[in-house]
Amino acid sequence: MTKLSENIIRNIFGDRTFLKGLDYFNHSYVLNTVKIGDILYSQVIGSSFKPYEVRAFINDTETSTKCTCPVGFMCKHGAALLLKWINEPSSFVD
C-alpha cells in the first residue's frame, strides 16, 4: 500500500475538503474501520441520520474514495478516513 501523509492527502483533496475531513477526524467521526488488501472501509458520521459508508482505494498509481454521501467520491468523509489511516493505523481491523 502506498505511503500517505497529510500533505499528500491535502494535495489530493484540496485545502477546503482536506480541512473539513480533518475536522471530522479530530472529532472522532470515523467509525468501524476495516482494511482488506488495498481497500479501507469505514462509516463516517455526517449530516445524515445514519453514518455514511466510505471506501478508500490506495495503490501505487492512485488514491481515491467513494462514499454514500451526496458528493459520492473524493469528499470530506473520504479525507477523514485517510487521515484516520495515517494517524491511527492500528485501529483498522484486517
Side-chain angles (χ1 to χ4, degrees):
M1 188 175 280
T2 300
K3 179 83 169 147
L4 293 175
S5 68
E6 286 195 11
N7 284 335
I8 291 171
I9 295 169
R10 182 185 293 259
N11 288 336
I12 292 170
F13 286 88
D15 287 337
R16 184 174 181 191
T17 302
F18 171 81
L19 291 173
K20 288 180 179 182
L22 183 62
D23 187 52
Y24 277 46
F25 167 70
N26 286 333
H27 282 92
S28 300
Y29 291 170
V30 182
L31 312 170
N32 304 320
T33 52
V34 176
K35 176 187 173 292
I36 301 174
D38 291 344
I39 304 174
L40 305 175
Y41 299 89
S42 75
Q43 294 178 319
V44 178
I45 297 171
S47 58
S48 177
F49 173 71
K50 61 186 216 179
Y52 296 114
E53 302 289 329
V54 187
R55 290 177 286 169
F57 308 90
I58 305 170
N59 61 43
D60 293 336
T61 59
E62 167 182 35
T63 297
S64 64
T65 65
K66 290 190 178 189
C67 183
T68 58
C69 76
V71 173
F73 63 98
M74 302 306 286
C75 62
K76 62 189 171 191
H77 309 104
L81 170 57
L82 292 175
L83 287 164
K84 177 88 168 187
W85 170 247
I86 66 168
N87 288 292
E88 301 174 15
S90 63
S91 69
F92 285 74
V93 176
D94 278 328

